[in-house]
Amino acid sequence: MKSSEMKNKDLLLYAVTDRKWLKDGVTLADECKKAIDGGVTMIQLREKELGYDDFLAQAKELKTLCQSRGIPFIVNDNVQIAIEVGADGIHVGQEDMHADDVRKLAGKDMILGVSAQNVEEAVTAEKNGADYLGVGAVFPTSSKDDASEVDFETLKEICQSVSIPVVAIGGITEDNIKELKGSGIVGISVISAIFAQEDIKDACERLCANTERILPADSSAYKDIKGAIFDIDGTVIDSMKIWDKAGLMFLEKHGIKGDDDLGKRLFAMTIGDAGKYIQENFLPNMKPEEISAGVNDVIRGFYINDAQPKEGMIELIKTLKEEGVKLTVATSTDRDVFMPCLERLGLDKYFDGIFTCTEVGHSKAEPEIFNQALELMGTSPKETWVFEDGLYSAKTAKSLGMKVAAVYDETSRHDWDEFRLMADAIIRIND
């Protein structure tokens, strides 16, 4: 991976190796495989005690592993080994080789990370060619004896003072990640929170989820954006739960209590099919179309009175509009269902156009709805972002050359691992 190809999401969960945690008969590559399986997005080989030949051999093994799994491989401090093995990048501290000297040796394409503990160091590192910063220690840590703590306000000030992404390092655990929310970081870098754990894969899965929850849903992550296409349900509005429960809520109005399995079966059906199913199994004296209309009334009532935006989405939409970005909606939901909610929330005025699958005549598994949105906005695919909670829709957008921000929703959690890997940015809120 070239430095120009690195995305913020590549820094989400940045693992730094430490062989002191290795168990008998287990190799560092074995443990790194588990970490990658759990969601690690970048690996740094940090070896302060190994001789050159052993370091080189270890670097080659991990480079091959990372390359096969599509994640960047970084070497700590040793520029010569990084160059020899063809690592994706090099990370240096303030006491190591200066960033500008590293950049001269490594060339413009290698990812360059630099450690910083204050604004001055951060600004200098960016000026000297750094692609990202590792800032800390943000909590007390035993991994580095000389690490001093960087308080929250300093971390936040550093993030605001540079245009390159910032990763928090030092003493981070799944329990204290939430304390970093609002700092502006794009990810965390950890050692013992991964490699000291009994179940590395499980530990990484929890770290990933907790880190995704603190990432900001702001416009700074979306580079060169001129157009934005927003899905509605599960993306802008926290509404997917009503589609899961509407059939059950309708039955409860008629004195019938269903279970979760029934809710899942109804969720997978169209409104018409759900009406037939309920008529055949629960309400034989009602016509299927009456039942479907009743279920629709439950859904519309939710949108009119109760549906709320996902955290940070109103602010994101407003900011993008203020920055001159063209905004459109592309949704599978019918206009008369969601528009009352957009109007109640005051969001309808921000969109230059609204497209529904029913009106377009094609699902979002096909490109037509996105092409119509692009045509109206007058933006090219490469300068347009799509905000989606659905994997199949995101794949269509990516096939057209657009960038995708993956928005987590509980109803699509089973697709999340694949979704976040193919996306260009991640938004995980309200879960």
Short mmCIF file of all heavy atoms in Angstrom, two decimals, residues 46 117 135-150 169-171:
data_model
loop_
_atom_site.label_atom_id
_atom_site.label_comp_id
_atom_site.label_asym_id
_atom_site.label_seq_id
_atom_site.Cartn_x
_atom_site.Cartn_y
_atom_site.Cartn_z
N ARG A 46 7.58 -4.30 16.13
CA ARG A 46 8.44 -3.51 17.01
C ARG A 46 9.38 -4.47 17.72
O ARG A 46 8.97 -5.26 18.56
CB ARG A 46 7.59 -2.73 18.03
CG ARG A 46 8.39 -1.83 18.97
CD ARG A 46 7.44 -1.00 19.83
NE ARG A 46 8.17 -0.12 20.73
CZ ARG A 46 8.50 -0.43 21.98
NH1 ARG A 46 8.14 -1.62 22.48
NH2 ARG A 46 9.16 0.41 22.74
N GLN A 117 3.96 13.97 21.31
CA GLN A 117 3.34 14.15 22.63
C GLN A 117 2.84 15.56 22.86
O GLN A 117 2.23 15.84 23.90
CB GLN A 117 4.34 13.78 23.74
CG GLN A 117 4.67 12.29 23.77
CD GLN A 117 5.60 11.94 24.91
OE1 GLN A 117 6.50 12.69 25.25
NE2 GLN A 117 5.37 10.77 25.50
N VAL A 135 -0.04 9.35 19.04
CA VAL A 135 0.03 10.31 20.14
C VAL A 135 -0.27 9.62 21.47
O VAL A 135 -1.28 8.95 21.63
CB VAL A 135 -0.95 11.47 19.92
CG1 VAL A 135 -0.96 12.41 21.12
CG2 VAL A 135 -0.58 12.24 18.66
N GLY A 136 0.62 9.81 22.42
CA GLY A 136 0.44 9.22 23.74
C GLY A 136 1.71 9.29 24.55
O GLY A 136 2.69 9.94 24.14
N ALA A 137 1.68 8.70 25.74
CA ALA A 137 0.68 7.74 26.17
C ALA A 137 -0.56 8.47 26.71
O ALA A 137 -0.44 9.38 27.54
CB ALA A 137 1.25 6.82 27.25
N VAL A 138 -1.75 8.04 26.24
CA VAL A 138 -2.97 8.68 26.68
C VAL A 138 -3.45 8.14 28.03
O VAL A 138 -4.28 8.77 28.69
CB VAL A 138 -4.07 8.53 25.62
CG1 VAL A 138 -3.71 9.30 24.35
CG2 VAL A 138 -4.35 7.06 25.28
N PHE A 139 -2.95 6.98 28.42
CA PHE A 139 -3.20 6.40 29.73
C PHE A 139 -1.89 5.81 30.24
O PHE A 139 -0.97 5.56 29.44
CB PHE A 139 -4.27 5.30 29.66
CG PHE A 139 -5.60 5.75 29.16
CD1 PHE A 139 -6.06 5.35 27.91
CD2 PHE A 139 -6.41 6.58 29.93
CE1 PHE A 139 -7.30 5.76 27.43
CE2 PHE A 139 -7.65 7.00 29.46
CZ PHE A 139 -8.09 6.60 28.21
N PRO A 140 -1.76 5.59 31.54
CA PRO A 140 -0.53 4.96 32.05
C PRO A 140 -0.28 3.62 31.38
O PRO A 140 -1.22 2.86 31.13
CB PRO A 140 -0.84 4.78 33.55
CG PRO A 140 -1.88 5.80 33.87
CD PRO A 140 -2.73 5.91 32.62
N THR A 141 0.98 3.33 31.07
CA THR A 141 1.30 2.09 30.37
C THR A 141 2.61 1.51 30.88
O THR A 141 3.52 2.26 31.26
CB THR A 141 1.41 2.32 28.85
OG1 THR A 141 1.84 1.11 28.23
CG2 THR A 141 2.39 3.43 28.52
N SER A 142 2.69 0.20 30.86
CA SER A 142 3.92 -0.47 31.26
C SER A 142 4.75 -0.91 30.06
O SER A 142 5.86 -1.40 30.20
CB SER A 142 3.59 -1.72 32.10
OG SER A 142 2.79 -2.62 31.35
N SER A 143 4.21 -0.70 28.84
CA SER A 143 4.90 -1.16 27.64
C SER A 143 6.14 -0.33 27.33
O SER A 143 7.10 -0.81 26.75
CB SER A 143 3.94 -1.11 26.44
OG SER A 143 2.88 -2.00 26.64
N LYS A 144 6.09 0.97 27.71
CA LYS A 144 7.23 1.84 27.46
C LYS A 144 7.56 2.59 28.75
O LYS A 144 6.77 3.38 29.24
CB LYS A 144 6.92 2.84 26.34
CG LYS A 144 6.73 2.21 24.98
CD LYS A 144 6.54 3.26 23.91
CE LYS A 144 7.80 4.04 23.65
NZ LYS A 144 7.67 5.00 22.52
N ASP A 145 8.72 2.32 29.27
CA ASP A 145 9.10 2.91 30.55
C ASP A 145 9.23 4.43 30.48
O ASP A 145 9.03 5.13 31.47
CB ASP A 145 10.43 2.32 31.03
CG ASP A 145 10.33 0.83 31.30
OD1 ASP A 145 9.20 0.37 31.61
OD2 ASP A 145 11.35 0.12 31.19
N ASP A 146 9.57 4.96 29.29
CA ASP A 146 9.81 6.40 29.18
C ASP A 146 8.59 7.16 28.69
O ASP A 146 8.67 8.35 28.38
CB ASP A 146 10.98 6.67 28.24
CG ASP A 146 10.73 6.13 26.83
OD1 ASP A 146 9.81 5.30 26.67
OD2 ASP A 146 11.47 6.53 25.90
N ALA A 147 7.44 6.50 28.59
CA ALA A 147 6.26 7.16 28.07
C ALA A 147 5.62 8.05 29.13
O ALA A 147 5.41 7.62 30.26
CB ALA A 147 5.24 6.12 27.59
N SER A 148 5.34 9.28 28.78
CA SER A 148 4.62 10.18 29.67
C SER A 148 3.22 10.35 29.15
O SER A 148 2.95 10.21 27.96
CB SER A 148 5.33 11.54 29.74
OG SER A 148 5.41 12.13 28.46
N GLU A 149 2.29 10.67 30.02
CA GLU A 149 0.89 10.74 29.63
C GLU A 149 0.58 12.03 28.86
O GLU A 149 1.13 13.09 29.12
CB GLU A 149 0.01 10.66 30.88
CG GLU A 149 0.02 9.28 31.53
CD GLU A 149 -0.89 9.23 32.75
OE1 GLU A 149 -2.08 9.56 32.60
OE2 GLU A 149 -0.39 8.91 33.83
N VAL A 150 -0.33 11.89 27.91
CA VAL A 150 -0.86 13.03 27.16
C VAL A 150 -2.33 13.15 27.56
O VAL A 150 -3.11 12.23 27.33
CB VAL A 150 -0.73 12.81 25.64
CG1 VAL A 150 -1.42 13.94 24.89
CG2 VAL A 150 0.72 12.69 25.24
N ILE A 169 -2.23 6.22 21.49
CA ILE A 169 -1.44 5.08 21.93
C ILE A 169 -1.23 5.15 23.43
O ILE A 169 -1.31 6.21 24.04
CB ILE A 169 -0.06 5.04 21.22
CG1 ILE A 169 0.74 6.32 21.54
CG2 ILE A 169 -0.22 4.88 19.72
CD1 ILE A 169 2.14 6.32 20.97
N GLY A 170 -0.98 4.00 24.03
CA GLY A 170 -0.55 3.95 25.42
C GLY A 170 -1.63 3.66 26.43
O GLY A 170 -2.51 4.49 26.68
N GLY A 171 -1.61 2.45 26.98
CA GLY A 171 -2.48 2.11 28.10
C GLY A 171 -3.94 1.95 27.75
O GLY A 171 -4.81 1.94 28.64
#
